[in-house]
């Protein structure tokens, strides 16, 4: 029980933030040292994340807050602005996936990032701390604080280490998410002013259950949070920052973008809309579900004719995150639990695909699907991983995304049988993935492709790590679902 | 011992899966060991299945479960009842024989590790489908075999011209009809995927109303049907599940993938696209049909389902047979024939639910499944040997081979006779049973049309089968063969390792044919006892149908007529069949219509591929870039406005602010001008800082206003 008294959540948030300063200082002496330092810190955080995840799973307390700290007064002048953190069946999987991906991003940057390394790794640690802060904050203002903090490292990642149009992409990313965040903040303030003078999420949830948050206010705040979370998720038509940001971002950062940053949107919808704004979510749930469906469909359709492999995968994210929105607003156990599961799976599957585009670009100098002929001849390891990653991306049941996608659809069917139309989307997804594979991996080699070199074994190993949770969760889905189902039940959603 | 029997059904499918995963390990030792071990693991599955046979014969059922997703009431488990044990045994032994054949057929291919991996992975998944005790687990196997099918159709993924299926230069509605292996694989995967999705929707609906995926629970507690009926989803759910079978078993309207799947190695065609995977759909109907039949409160509730199954079956049988009649490539002829014969099986299973005695059609369908699996696997293996020997896939490039390939000739004659329905071969009995069952169906006015179509199809079957035999083994050697002879390629018999597997299957065809009547009786006895035991609402009329004289006469007449025409033109070669289409414009039109696959293939491509692709392009160009992306510009503009207002607030409202905030405001306004020209990172950093400060200020004002 000693460990319980250790402020494990605060450690996960502030250890990387403090370490980022040291990383920068160490990095001035040696690039190698800063890489190792960042790896050590991120592994330590992963250890803590696994610990917190496992203890919630084992004790079957996915429906309750664990490792809760606070509330401690943060800005004492104002009531309800406290430092209050904790994890439950929603936060724990996302904290775990953030910590997991950070380790892999550090490993993935090992060879791919060669310039201004001290700053790079410092920002990575800063990002990790901030993102864990987002997934654990139990106070809306604290949540907003971390939410915006995530923006800063991400802006620099794209702006400094990005591709040729990085300035444009960084600015576009920044403007979209920043404006949206402000609107979201206005929503939070409206709650504070008109409902009760508190930002505490748990308190607000109680208020909702006591029917003390008027319906008009819920509607108003729902619109505000929809913009805030929707841009991050992203939903159509707020998604255009995403393909540009991805195309310009270096591969490891794309992993962060797709794997972690997008999850903030899904997390927000489930944490805030489903509970604090429960009644508005019930009444207007169908609008959210419709937008989710449109997002899924649109992402798949537009992905099909992309010429850039990375852009195709970026739009796959749009397609996959639509499932999260749809699932969350089905407001039943299958849908909500499936949405959380989907966020986890998407992070690993698409993370792998983005890293692969990075290696392919490094080897071949291009990401144009048309130019990447006959990849399997000289790059068999890369090609195999591309095929496996695509299998995960298209929801074939040799990896866990299959389970989460169909849990979401099961949830949707439970609401209305007509929502079974969502099933058409996996067909399109399979279509464009196979078409991409046919043109890149399976096509006959040409002059160019005979000069390619395959990736190193080190890279094969760390890229294979992405697939481990996907396989594990296919065979033992209970490792995730025992927790997330409990969480979804605990929401006591009424439709 | 009892415990071992509990484990056996797991071993049946786990052993081949382990074999698949170990393939790369064996490959590291050496190539020969890898090849042999692949067959050994397949044998392991076959032996385990055979050891279960006594259980099936004694009418017992093994059901073992372990928890999988307890929070959703989903278990993993195996259900070894007479149906699954019987099918598993047949499938596993054919798989083993084809693995042995592959050792010879694929000899020397550089990518054999991949080949063996997919083959064993396929076998494991196929047996998983058969032995699953619930829908979800079955679906895993279902997708697994689809994946292997994709991997193996496109096995020769260098897409060399010699591996193409279809005739190059042949276009229909402006679309080329020749498919490269990788394209054919993609087509197969996509088209079966449509069926899979339908299957999934159906079973998710079923799960939502019943709360379980388990076959036994669905059979025992039939309360779910009442809710489904009142929601109006009983028949839709059943038909959606049947959609999965339509895709996998290449039935109309999802039949177009199978003929092009012939781009894969012939051993693959024999295993996956003739003997096993395409039967998964039939198996699914055999699994699910009784469940729905049993759950319905009155039989008439399920009638629409079984009529649909019967109609799709018989129409597919007819449709594919017309195409087989005009096929030019030996493998494609056999592929069309497979589609057609599976149509017969579907017909039988559909008829089962329309008769007073459920077991009659049920047994007939599964009997035909068995006999077809055996003879069609042999036909494909024989065809592989022929293609090997002659260097061509076209029927008209062969001819006169009976002297050079005696054993192949005899084996193929036997199995082809079985396909055609020659008396005292296995196919005769099973096809006769289907016709008899169709006649036995009660009510429904359309039954006579269905029966007529089934008989006409039987005539065509006999015709194209003997046409194939005639073109390959009779007459003079073709020009192609003579030219090869001059080049020094002598036609020779297939090597033993290829020959033995299909002679064994030919022997099996003969053996089952000799005891055919009793075989059918035994199968009927075993299956009907189980049906009656498991399903409260299925009642069996004691005696089996026996021999139905009308059916017997029709099937004998069909073989006679079809066989005679083929004999006249292709074996005795009394007249030139090409004259028919030359002299008669109607016949020529019909020929073109059949040869172009009733234009369905081309129309599908236009509607579902070209148009979706076009839609995608238009959406991207006009909506994504044209409209939505433009919004980002306006968002940028509004942000500038916003920050300008912020600055205005900064300067005018908040008087006497500190220098820091003022300078932030200055930076802010500076940046807002720079946005149009491009921004340096330092400025943006300052912008962020300024903005954060501004927000804090904003908050300060607001919050003090509230809390005071």
């Amino acid at each position: 029980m000693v460990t319980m008294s250790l402020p494990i959540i605060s450690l996960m948030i502030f250890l990387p933030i403090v370490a980022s300063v040291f990383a920068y200082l160490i990095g001035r002496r040696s690039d190698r040292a800063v890489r190792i330092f960042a790896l050590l810190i991120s592994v330590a955080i992963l250890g803590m994340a696994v610990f917190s995840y496992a203890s919630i799973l084992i004790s079957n307390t996915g429906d309750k807050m664990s490792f809760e700290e606070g509330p401690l007064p943060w800005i004492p002048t104002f009531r309800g602005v406290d430092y209050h953190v904790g994890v439950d069946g929603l936060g724990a999987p996302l904290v775990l996936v953030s910590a997991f991906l950070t380790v892999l991003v550090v490993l993935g940057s090992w060879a791919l990032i060669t310039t201004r390394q001290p700053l790079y790794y410092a920002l990575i640690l800063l990002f990790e701390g901030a993102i864990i802060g987002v997934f654990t904050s139990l106070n809306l203002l604290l949540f907003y604080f971390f939410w915006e903090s995530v923006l800063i490292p991400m802006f620099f990642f794209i702006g400094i280490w990005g591709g040729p149009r990085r300035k444009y992409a960084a600015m576009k990313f920044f403007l979209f998410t920043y404006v949206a965040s402000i609107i979201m903040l206005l929503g939070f303030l409206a709650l504070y002013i008109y409902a009760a003078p508190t930002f505490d999420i748990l308190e607000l949830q109680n208020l909702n259950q006591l029917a003390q948050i008027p319906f008009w206010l819920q509607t108003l705040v729902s619109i505000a949070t929809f913009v805030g979370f929707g841009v991050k998720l992203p939903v159509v038509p707020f998604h255009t920052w995403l393909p540009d940001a991805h195309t310009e971002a270096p591969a490891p950062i794309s992993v962060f973008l797709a794997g972690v940053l997008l999850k903030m949107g899904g997390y927000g919808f489930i944490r805030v809309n489903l509970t604090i704004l429960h009644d508005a979510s019930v009444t207007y749930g169908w609008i959210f579900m419709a937008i989710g469906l449109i997002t899924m469909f649109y992402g798949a359709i537009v992905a099909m004719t992309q010429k850039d492999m990375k852009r195709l995968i970026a739009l796959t994210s749009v397609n996959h995150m639509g499932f999260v929105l749809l699932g969350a607003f089905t407001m039943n156990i299958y849908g909500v639990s499936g949405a959380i599961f989907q966020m986890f799976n998407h992070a690993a599957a698409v993370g792998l695909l983005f890293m692969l585009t990075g290696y392919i670009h490094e080897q071949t100098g291009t990401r144009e699907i048309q130019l990447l002929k006959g990849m399997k001849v000289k790059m068999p390891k890369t090609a195999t991983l591309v095929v496996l990653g695509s299998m995960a991306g298209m929801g074939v049941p040799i990896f866990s995304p299959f389970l989460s996608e169909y849990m979401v659809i099961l949830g949707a069917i439970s609401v209305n049988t007509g929502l079974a139309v969502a099933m058409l989307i996996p067909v399109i997804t399979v279509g464009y993935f196979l078409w991409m594979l046919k043109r890149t991996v399976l096509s006959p080699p040409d002059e160019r492709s005979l000069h390619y070199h395959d990736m190193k074994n080190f890279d094969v190993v760390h890229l294979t790590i992405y697939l481990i949770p996907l396989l594990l969760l296919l065979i033992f889905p209970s490792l995730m679902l025992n927790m997330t189902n409990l969480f979804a039940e605990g929401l006591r959603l009424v439709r | 011992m009892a415990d071992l029997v509990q484990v056996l059904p797991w071993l049946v499918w786990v052993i081949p899966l382990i074999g698949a995963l170990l393939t790369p390990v064996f490959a590291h030792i050496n190539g020969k060991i890898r090849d042999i071990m692949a067959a050994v693991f397949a044998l392991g599955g076959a032996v385990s299945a055979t050891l279960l046979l006594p259980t099936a014969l004694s009418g017992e059922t093994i059901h073992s479960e372990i928890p999988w997703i307890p929070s959703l009431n989903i278990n993993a488990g195996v259900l070894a009842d007479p149906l699954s044990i019987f099918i598993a045994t047949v499938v596993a032994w054919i798989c083993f024989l084809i693995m042995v054949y592959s050792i010879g057929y694929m000899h020397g291919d550089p990518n054999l590790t991949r080949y063996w991996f997919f083959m064993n992975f396929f076998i494991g998944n196929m047996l998983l489908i058969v032995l699953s005790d619930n829908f979800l687990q079955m679906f895993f196997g279902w997708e697994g075999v689809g994946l292997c099918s994709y991997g193996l159709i496109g096995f020769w993924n260098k897409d060399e011209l010699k591996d193409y299926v279809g005739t190059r230069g042949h276009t229909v509605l402006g679309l080329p009809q020749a498919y490269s292996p990788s394209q054919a694989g993609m087509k197969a995967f996509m088209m079966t995927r449509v069926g899979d999705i339908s299957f999934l929707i159906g079973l998710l609906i079923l799960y939502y109303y019943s709360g379980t995926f388990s076959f036994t629970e669905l059979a025992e507690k039939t309360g779910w049907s009442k809710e489904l009926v009142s929601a109006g989803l009983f028949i839709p759910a059943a038909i959606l599940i049947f959609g999965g079978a339509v895709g996998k078993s290449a039935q109309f309207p999802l039949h177009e993938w199978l003929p092009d799947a012939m781009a894969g190695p012939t051993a693959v065609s024999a295993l996956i696209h003739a003997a096993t995977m395409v039967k998964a759909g039939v198996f699914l109907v055999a699994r699910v049909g009784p469940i729905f039949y049993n759950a319905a409160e009155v039989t008439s509730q399920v009638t629409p389902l079984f009529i649909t199954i019967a109609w799709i079956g018989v129409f597919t049988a007819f449709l594919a047979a017309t195409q087989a009649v005009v096929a030019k490539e030996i493998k494609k002829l056999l592929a069309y024939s497979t589609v057609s014969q599976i149509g017969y099986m579907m017909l039988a299973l559909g008829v089962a639910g329309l008769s007073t005695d459920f077991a009659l059609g049920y047994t007939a369908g599964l009997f035909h499944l068995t006999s077809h699996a055996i003879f069609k696997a042999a036909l494909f293996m024989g065809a592989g040997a022929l293609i090997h020997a002659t260097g061509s896939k076209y029927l008209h490039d062969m001819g006169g081979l009976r002297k050079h390939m005696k054993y192949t000739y005899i084996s193929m004659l036997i199995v082809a006779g079985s396909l055609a329905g020659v008396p005292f071969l296995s196919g005769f009995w099973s096809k006769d049973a289907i016709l008899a069952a169709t006649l036995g169906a009660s009510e429904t006015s359309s039954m006579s049309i269905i029966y007529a179509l089934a008989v006409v199809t039987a005539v065509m079957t006999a015709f194209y089968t003997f046409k194939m035999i005639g073109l390959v083994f009779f007459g003079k050697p073709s020009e192609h063969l003579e030219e090869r002879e001059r080049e020094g390629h002598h036609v020779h018999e297939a090597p033993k390792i290829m020959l033995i597997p299909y002679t064994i299957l030919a022997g099996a065809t003969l053996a089952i044919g000799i005891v055919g009547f009793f075989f059918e009786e035994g199968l009927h006895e075993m299956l009907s006892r189980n049906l009656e035991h498991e399903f409260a609402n299925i009642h069996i009329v004691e005696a089996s149908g026996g021999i139905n004289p009308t059916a017997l006469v029709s099937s004998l007449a069909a073989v006679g007529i079809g066989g005679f025409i083929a004999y006249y033109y292709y074996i005795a070669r009394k007249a030139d069949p090409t004259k028919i289409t030359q002299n008669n414009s109607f016949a020529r039109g019909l020929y073109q219509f059949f040869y172009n696959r009733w234009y369905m293939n081309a129309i599908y491509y236009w509607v579902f591929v070209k148009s979706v692709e076009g839609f995608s392009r238009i959406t991207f160009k006009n909506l994504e870039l044209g409209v939505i992306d433009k919004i980002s510009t306006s968002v940028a503009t509004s942000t500038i406005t916003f920050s300008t207002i912020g600055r205005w607030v900064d300067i005018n409202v908040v008087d006497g602010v500190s220098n820091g905030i003022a300078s932030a405001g200055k930076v802010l306004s500076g940046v807002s001008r720079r946005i149009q020209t491009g921004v340096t990172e330092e400025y943006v950093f300052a912008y962020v800082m300024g903005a954060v400060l501004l927000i804090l200020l904003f908050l300060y004002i607001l919050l003090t206003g509230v809390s005071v």
Side-chain angles (χ1 to χ4, degrees), chain A residues 276-403:
Chain A
I276 301 175
L277 312 171
H278 180 268
D279 308 310
S281 303
V282 171
T283 311
Y284 300 113
W286 61 274
I287 300 179
F288 289 94
M289 283 195 280
I291 294 172
L293 264 181
I294 293 170
T295 303
M296 290 152 78
F297 188 68
Y298 187 88
I301 280 289
V302 175
M304 183 171 289
T305 38
Q306 295 305 315
K307 296 190 177 85
D308 183 326
M309 196 166 165
K310 201 169 179 191
R311 228 182 152 86
L312 182 142
I313 294 161
L315 285 157
T316 305
S317 288
V318 178
N319 170 3
H320 281 175
M321 296 313 280
F323 276 98
V324 175
L325 189 61
L326 177 67
F329 282 91
T330 59
M331 301 188 72
N332 54 43
I333 292 171
Y334 308 125
V336 174
S337 177
I340 303 170
F341 196 14
Q342 168 79 355
M343 286 198 269
F344 188 97
N345 292 334
H346 169 262
V350 172
L352 171 63
L353 286 168
F354 274 126
M355 279 312 297
L356 283 166
T357 60
Y359 284 99
I360 290 170
H361 187 253
E362 202 202 9
Q363 273 309 318
T364 64
T366 183
R367 290 190 310 244
E368 285 276 304
I369 292 173
Q370 293 298 346
L371 298 177
L372 288 168
K373 285 200 175 108
M375 226 159 62
K376 75 177 170 56
V377 179
K378 288 285 172 182
M379 306 170 76
K381 293 172 196 161
T382 317
T384 309
L385 283 168
V386 170
V387 172
L388 288 175
S390 303
M391 292 294 166
M394 66 174 104
V396 171
I398 53 172
F399 294 116
S400 53
F402 163 78
L403 285 176

Side-chain angles (χ1 to χ4, degrees), chain A residues 155-156 167 172 176 178-179 237 239-240 298 301 305-306 376 397 406 414 423 430 434 442 474-475 478 485, chain B residues 68 70-71 140 143 157 189 193 197 200-201 208 616 620 623-624 628-629 632 639 679 684-685 687 691:
Chain A
F155 177 80
F156 286 114
K167 295 269 157 75
K172 193 169 173 183
F176 263 79
Y178 182 64
V179 171
H239 67 285
T240 56
Y298 187 88
I301 280 289
T305 38
Q306 295 305 315
K376 75 177 170 56
Y406 293 114
S414 312
M423 287 284 211
V430 168
L434 288 186
L442 299 176
L474 178 84
I475 303 170
S478 293
N485 283 354
Chain B
W68 187 22
S71 47
F140 274 80
E143 288 285 301
N157 54 22
F189 196 76
R193 183 89 183 174
I197 293 296
L200 249 182
I201 300 176
Y208 177 61
S616 166
F620 181 64
L623 192 59
E624 174 88 1
I628 298 180
D629 224 26
S632 73
T639 311
V679 190
V684 172
F685 186 66
Y687 175 51

Side-chain angles (χ1 to χ4, degrees), chain B residues 303-477:
Chain B
T303 306
L305 169 68
F306 287 97
I307 287 190
T308 313
I309 297 175
W311 263 110
I312 286 192
V314 78
F315 180 69
T316 312
F318 177 76
L319 172 78
T322 60
Q323 298 175 30
V325 164
V326 298
K328 289 177 178 169
E329 295 161 55
I330 184 166
K331 282 179 73 180
K332 256 191 161 173
L333 183 143
L334 291 174
Y336 288 127
S337 160
T338 304
V339 175
S340 171
Q341 296 300 308
I342 294 172
Y344 269 123
M345 297 167 210
M346 288 293 183
L347 167 64
L349 292 175
V351 162
L354 302 172
S355 321
T356 43
D357 187 352
F358 193 90
L360 267 189
Y362 194 72
T363 315
L366 293 170
F367 185 21
H368 199 53
L369 186 155
T370 313
S371 59
H372 178 262
I374 295 171
F375 68 65
K376 195 45 85 50
L379 275 170
F380 265 106
M381 288 196 269
L386 290 169
I387 294 171
H388 238 209
T390 62
S392 169
K393 60 190 176 185
Y394 289 102
L395 284 165
H396 57 77
D397 280 345
M398 300 174 184
L401 291 173
R402 70 179 185 283
K403 291 172 208 120
H404 305 286
M405 304 177 74
K406 209 193 292 167
Y407 294 108
T408 304
Y409 167 59
I410 296 170
S411 309
M412 283 196 75
L413 196 61
I414 294 171
V415 288
S418 183
L419 168 61
V422 170
F424 305 112
L425 290 169
S426 62
F428 165 75
W429 295 108
S430 52
K431 200 176 290 178
D432 184 61
I434 292 173
L435 291 178
T438 312
L439 280 178
S442 43
E443 64 204 319
T444 63
S445 48
S446 55
M447 262 312 155
S448 51
I449 309 173
I450 289 183
Y451 185 76
L453 273 176
V455 174
V456 171
T457 306
V459 176
M460 287 191 286
T461 309
F463 170 76
Y464 67 68
T465 312
F466 287 112
K467 172 186 169 184
M468 176 188 76
I469 293 290
L471 280 173
V472 172
F473 293 108
F474 290 86
K476 286 199 209 89

Side-chain angles (χ1 to χ4, degrees), chain B residues 4 16 35 58 81 140 144 190 231 283 356 359 377 427 482 486 578 602 642-643 673:
Chain B
L4 181 66
D35 300 357
S58 64
D81 59 356
F140 274 80
M190 286 302 294
F283 178 80
T356 43
E482 277 171 1
R486 280 195 295 279
T578 55
F642 176 80
S643 53
R673 274 199 306 277

Side-chain angles (χ1 to χ4, degrees), chain A residues 10 21-22 25 39-40 57 84 95 118 161 167 179 207 211 251 277 281 304 323 350 434 440 456 482:
Chain A
S10 296
V21 178
F22 288 99
L25 296 175
L39 183 64
L40 286 177
L57 184 70
H84 189 187
V95 169
W161 290 274
K167 295 269 157 75
V179 171
L207 282 178
L277 312 171
S281 303
M304 183 171 289
F323 276 98
V350 172
L434 288 186
T440 53
K456 295 185 190 71
N482 275 358

Side-chain angles (χ1 to χ4, degrees), chain B residues 119-374:
Chain B
M119 287 296 261
N120 259 330
F121 196 64
F122 168 80
I123 296 172
N125 276 297
M126 182 68 209
L127 294 167
L128 171 63
I129 293 179
V130 176
L131 288 162
S132 291
D133 79 329
N134 67 72
F135 273 120
L136 190 67
Q137 202 182 336
M138 184 190 213
F139 193 81
F140 274 80
W142 192 265
E143 288 285 301
V145 293
L147 204 61
C148 296
S149 165
Y150 167 72
L152 286 168
I153 294 171
F155 180 72
W156 286 316
N157 54 22
K158 290 204 180 98
D159 285 355
E160 287 164 24
L161 289 182
K162 69 175 173 58
D163 300 326
Y164 272 58
V165 65
T167 306
R168 291 173 62 77
H170 174 216
T171 57
V172 178
L173 304 183
L175 296 168
Q177 295 296 296
Y179 288 86
S180 71
S182 66
Q183 200 180 356
M186 193 161 74
K187 181 179 177 185
F189 196 76
M190 286 302 294
M191 220 175 218
T192 49
R193 183 89 183 174
V194 173
D196 297 352
I197 293 296
S198 156
F199 181 18
L200 249 182
I201 300 176
L203 67 88
L204 290 184
I205 292 176
L206 190 63
Y207 175 77
Y208 177 61
Y209 282 94
S210 68
T212 181
F213 283 122
S214 159
F215 298 134
T216 45
E217 275 183 49
L218 286 168
E220 276 163 25
K221 303 174 200 134
T222 54
W224 53 271
S225 69
K226 209 175 281 173
E227 286 176 43
L228 267 178
V229 170
S230 62
L233 288 170
F234 186 65
I235 290 300
I239 295 206
L240 283 166
I241 293 176
F242 175 60
V246 167
K248 213 46 135 203
S249 289
Q251 298 293 289
F252 173 80
L254 298 174
H255 60 290
E256 286 293 356
W257 63 271
L258 188 62
D260 300 310
M262 296 300 125
T266 306
V268 170
S269 311
L271 178 61
I272 300 183
H273 306 115
T276 53
M277 184 188 84
V278 288
K279 306 288 168 56
V282 180
F283 178 80
L284 175 67
V285 176
R287 256 285 175 247
V288 180
I291 290 177
F292 273 85
Y293 187 82
N294 177 55
E297 286 165 317
V298 280
T299 317
S300 59
Q301 266 177 357
V302 282
T303 306
L305 169 68
F306 287 97
I307 287 190
T308 313
I309 297 175
W311 263 110
I312 286 192
V314 78
F315 180 69
T316 312
F318 177 76
L319 172 78
T322 60
Q323 298 175 30
V325 164
V326 298
K328 289 177 178 169
E329 295 161 55
I330 184 166
K331 282 179 73 180
K332 256 191 161 173
L333 183 143
L334 291 174
Y336 288 127
S337 160
T338 304
V339 175
S340 171
Q341 296 300 308
I342 294 172
Y344 269 123
M345 297 167 210
M346 288 293 183
L347 167 64
L349 292 175
V351 162
L354 302 172
S355 321
T356 43
D357 187 352
F358 193 90
L360 267 189
Y362 194 72
T363 315
L366 293 170
F367 185 21
H368 199 53
L369 186 155
T370 313
S371 59
H372 178 262
I374 295 171

